Amino acid sequence: MTIYDLVLGMLQTCSILAMAPLMTGIMRKVKARTQKRRGSGVLQPYYELSKLFKKDEVVSDQSSWIFHYAPWIMLVSTITAALFIPVFLPFSPFSSAGDILVVLGLFALANFFMMLAGLDTASAFGGLGSSREMMMAALIEPALFITIFVISLTLGGTNLSALVSAAASSGFLIAPSMLFALIAFLVIFLAETGRLPFDNPATHLELTMIHEAMVLEYSGKGLGMIEWSQSIKQLILLTLVVNLFFPIGMPTQINNAMISPIALSAALYLAKVALLAAIMALAESRVAKWRVFRLPDLLSVAIASSMVGVVFHFL
Amino acid sequence: MELELFIPDNASLFFEGVILCLLAGALLPLAFRETRWTTVLSFGPMALGSIMALALSLNIILTGSVLSLGSPILAPIHGALMELRVGGLGAFFILMIGVVTLPVSIYSIGYCRQYYGKHSLRALGFLTNIFVLSMILVPAANDVFSFLVFWETMSLASFFLVIYEHESGSSVKSGLTYIVMTHFGTAFITASFLVLYSYTGSLSFDSFRNPALPLPIFIKEVAFVLALIGFGSKAGLVPLHIWLPQAHPSAPSNVSALMSGVMIKVAIYGLALVTLDFIDPSIPQLAWLGMLMVIVGAISSLIGVLYASVEHDLKRALAYHSVENIGIIVLGLGLSVVFMSYGLTALAALALLASMYHSLNHALFKSLLFMGAGSVISSTNTRDLNRMGGLARVMPWTSLLFLVGSIAIAGLPPLNGFVSEWLTMQALLSSYQVPNVVLQVSISFASIAFALTLGLALATFVKLFGISFLSKPRSQEAENAKESPKIMIVGMAIVGLLCVVLGVLPFVATRIIASSFGFNPSLVSDASPFGALTVPYSVAGVQSVSGMSMPEVVVVMGSVTALLLGFVLATNRGRKTARRAYSTWDNGFGAQDERMEQTASSLSRPLRTVFSGLFRPHTEVQREYYSDSNHYIKKSIRMESHIRDFFEEKIYSPVTGATLTVLDKVRRLQTGKVNSYLLYIMIILVLFLVLVAVTS
């Protein structure tokens, strides 16, 4: 690992951290447009974050230290996960330390503390959110793991650098198994980021909210950290979809002297991610929120799809 | 090892030390009058004995020697009757027992004082020491006879510990279930050994290891299946797990920690001994043995965690989690056998490492959680989660340590549970190398079950920790709870620290396991101790290395935290944002109390609904009205909901029912009249005479 690689790697991570709110803004804008609203500007999430980080906080007098530290743990583990993700280069300098399973583990850690924080304030809403999230998290896990199983079988291993460069050198959807994995991954994306039909990020109605219910008691800095970590997680998942399934324009190897392919790849990456975010937002606008107990059906579809992918791969 | 301590001669010394210390712990308290200090007399020597056990096992593992005993103290029983030998496999399990009994004995000094004046402390000390001694001796046994003697001593001692609080009827009932199931298991273990004996003609394990003639495949298969049933019933594999969630919670919590932490691991030792040492599964025909273990393991882990997720008794939930974790361990062991049978040595080592790493981890975090549960229960006097709450504020240390245990068992980074689950996942992902499509697809089904187990375990520990330690107290007892004595905290802190160490520095465990089982550690990790655990991937032209380095992940997390602190300070330009405490948002209702927060049962309600096919919840609602004419205004509503245990209802009840019916019929023979008994003797005699006449 040279200094040059390290700098590029840090640049990748910083770009995820910096662009995460932008993607949230784009998705909101697209949703507003499809609802015949003008919507706020795509930079609005940045203003919100900077406002939240400067505000004083009100915390529940029932809460314990879990409530205080949960936003920190969530943000730290999500940023750590972002370090292992190749963004516009076919490698990440840290990916020998953490593979895709570590990324999942870090997401689960963040989720664990968010569910605990939901319970901590003795609020009836928080517990409701945690209770629903417990069910969702438990069912997402097998869908996600079996999807990774397919990806790992097709592209080789769990090391993210190896996976992304294998995808880059072999091109778009090299095997039928990958198509099934893609279907599953998109369903998981909707579920993991709390989007319709699983959860409505814009709701504050007790019948429907999951994620919002858990963070209802947060304000100020704590809320800002949670929102930022949510959008980072969303961008990480979008990046994985783009780099594993649509690696068009990703250079297969990086030559130290060449800046232009990297710039090209970065521009293409940004375009692809923005496009994918817009498509997901459009898809989201087309569906209604599902009843909580119908959601396992959708996740079963994801599991079944990936399982078909596994069988396709082995046969 | 250059250390003076680690020379093979010392091993036998330490072995005698273990036996002497534990016997002292058992007998010393009997010599004195019972006081509050009796716990020191019995558990002090136990701690010393555990240290000896650690020294013994490390000595054997690090020198790579084998201890065969012929010591003067043991001479009377050694030789003709009993053969003792500690090899790498046995030493690893003795290490696991020692590493758990040391903190548990420290914890017990404080914990058991609550029984003073209510129950006999001397009996508790005696039984616990004998229990630990017999657990340590099982892996040291080297012939059928001594193995079974120690095994039975272990079972009986633990039976008496389960019924220690015998005035409660439920603990006697669960004790009875336990002793029936454990003897069912012993019968199968004995049968398995006898099958091997019938072929080798010697009861010594050495003859099983190196039979004069290679064992026929059929004998191996029969011996394996019998051993799987026998040891499986002790380990708590589904459907033989039925005793575990009854017996483990009934025992005092320090004993539960030992039973769930290490006793069921002794059964895993037995299974590993039979599979790895006696039956060498290195031919493809024996792959199905491994696959059987994978299937049983996957089912056990899933069933265990599903029942845990809807349980609202803290200790029962933890006991169901033992079923889950034993399932994961057996799944890893089974994968190792599958890989071994196809000659995939490196992968077999990986799967074995995953399985044994998880055994060690489970011993640590499960004993930590049971000790934590013991602290909670002794200060709130209830095992019901729905009567706890808010304990994080009154019991800060216990809550922190319970959280460490929860994170570890839920398999979250950076603690030890994650490392072993990562290894298990890698072993599952490596199944593409098995040259058999049916096995490949079945293993991927098993990995779905495994991943679902992990997800449910995460959910369950949100519930167990969240309901007991967070939000408002749900009862007067929880409000008045006090932090446990320091000595109990110390006992828990040791295990908590080990959970962190084995998570952050996996090389400590991987090297110990690699040298106990005699495989090269370079198969699974970098040369540098802080380097990554690595799994090579190679298939038709694609070469890569999947790796994970927990030390680096932790360093990265630390630096991210530091940077983030700087970032947050910078955004405020040095001005500190204020925090104001205010009551929780209640929609302006103004009277939100603890009755409105989630309970353990309501929290797991979505899971109960999703998996209602298994749980078949039975709900009963009683409404009371002010007047019969108007059903809109209710005086009270009472709802009761139970889940029905599938296995108890569908498997055990029919069997016990049928047995009782048959025995009832048989009882009619016993009339109490001498005349009829004479008639029976007469009939038998005639039958024998006929038999003799016919056969001769």
Side-chain angles (χ1 to χ4, degrees), chain A residues 54 57 59-61 97 121 158, chain B residues 426 546 549 578 580 582 584:
Chain A
K54 283 179 201 142
E57 285 175 273
V59 293
S60 161
D61 51 9
T121 55
T158 56
Chain B
Q426 288 294 349
S546 314
S549 162
R580 187 159 60 93
Y582 197 71
T584 304

Side-chain angles (χ1 to χ4, degrees), chain B residues 100-344:
Chain B
V100 170
T101 47
L102 174 63
V104 168
S105 52
I106 294 172
Y107 173 89
S108 304
I109 293 175
Y111 178 78
C112 293
R113 287 206 181 132
Q114 61 176 304
Y115 293 114
Y116 176 67
K118 291 184 218 153
H119 294 276
S120 165
L121 281 181
R122 294 189 289 179
L124 184 62
F126 176 77
L127 288 168
T128 315
N129 274 287
I130 294 296
F131 177 47
V132 170
L133 179 62
S134 55
M135 279 198 294
I136 291 177
L137 286 176
V138 169
N142 199 37
D143 65 328
V144 174
F145 179 73
S146 54
F147 186 95
L148 289 175
V149 166
F150 298 142
W151 182 266
E152 274 302 287
T153 316
M154 177 178 90
S155 301
L156 286 176
S158 53
F159 163 71
F160 285 115
L161 287 166
V162 167
I163 60 166
Y164 181 66
E165 292 173 60
H166 53 81
E167 73 287 342
S168 95
S170 69
S171 98
V172 175
K173 182 179 171 289
S174 43
L176 286 176
T177 314
Y178 170 48
I179 201 151
V180 169
M181 287 305 293
T182 189
H183 281 104
F184 172 82
T186 309
F188 278 90
I189 295 167
T190 316
S192 168
F193 286 153
L194 289 182
V195 166
L196 290 170
Y197 163 73
S198 72
Y199 196 79
T200 62
S202 159
L203 284 171
S204 165
F205 284 171
D206 285 335
S207 75
F208 294 174
R209 278 192 190 95
N210 306 305
L213 297 166
L215 293 171
I217 290 180
F218 177 68
I219 294 287
K220 286 185 176 183
E221 288 171 340
V222 170
F224 170 81
V225 172
L226 290 171
L228 183 64
I229 297 173
F231 290 116
S233 72
K234 189 71 170 185
L237 285 176
V238 171
L240 303 167
H241 68 290
I242 192 93
W243 61 273
L244 205 151
Q246 296 181 19
H248 287 199
S250 297
S253 290
N254 57 334
V255 177
S256 313
L258 290 176
M259 286 178 78
S260 253
V262 285
M263 186 187 79
I264 55 178
K265 301 299 155 23
V266 177
I268 295 293
Y269 161 77
L271 199 56
L273 179 76
V274 172
T275 348
L276 304 177
D277 272 15
F278 299 170
I279 303 168
D280 178 25
S282 50
I283 43 171
Q285 288 95 310
L286 290 177
W288 73 272
L289 303 184
M291 205 53 223
L292 184 66
M293 283 161 90
V294 169
I295 293 167
V296 170
I299 293 175
S300 296
S301 58
L302 197 51
I303 296 288
V305 77
L306 276 170
Y307 279 107
S309 69
V310 294
E311 189 55 65
H312 57 84
D313 177 325
L314 182 55
K315 283 179 79 176
R316 267 178 80 95
L318 291 178
Y320 270 122
H321 268 286
S322 295
V323 177
E324 174 221 326
N325 282 289
I326 283 292
I328 296 176
I329 292 164
V330 170
L331 185 144
L333 198 57
L335 277 177
S336 169
V337 170
V338 171
F339 293 141
M340 233 179 263
S341 66
Y342 285 103
L344 304 163

Side-chain angles (χ1 to χ4, degrees), chain A residues 125-144:
Chain A
F125 291 118
L128 201 76
S130 301
S131 165
R132 289 172 182 165
E133 180 66 23
M134 272 165 60
M135 175 192 85
M136 299 276 293
L139 294 174
I140 290 172
E141 190 85 17
L144 199 48

Side-chain angles (χ1 to χ4, degrees), chain A residues 153-205:
Chain A
L153 285 175
T154 320
L155 298 174
T158 56
N159 184 320
L160 279 160
S161 294
L163 287 173
V164 170
S165 58
S169 54
S170 54
F172 171 66
L173 289 183
I174 46 163
S177 55
M178 284 300 268
L179 180 65
F180 290 102
L182 176 62
I183 297 170
F185 209 112
L186 292 179
V187 174
I188 293 162
F189 172 81
L190 291 175
E192 273 273 312
T193 53
R195 307 220 143 248
L196 288 169
F198 290 91
D199 186 12
N200 185 351
T203 187
H204 278 99
L205 195 67

Side-chain angles (χ1 to χ4, degrees), chain B residues 456-503:
Chain B
L456 286 166
L458 181 77
T460 310
F461 274 90
V462 168
K463 183 181 80 173
L464 292 186
F465 184 81
I467 295 292
S468 50
F469 289 99
L470 303 180
S471 66
K472 279 186 194 170
R474 291 178 182 78
S475 67
Q476 200 61 45
E477 293 95 321
E479 210 169 337
N480 299 336
K482 293 248 157 39
E483 182 61 286
S484 311
K486 282 200 188 67
I487 192 151
M488 286 161 72
I489 306 279
V490 168
M492 288 190 275
I494 294 173
V495 205
L497 206 64
L498 283 170
C499 283
V500 176
V501 168
L502 289 193

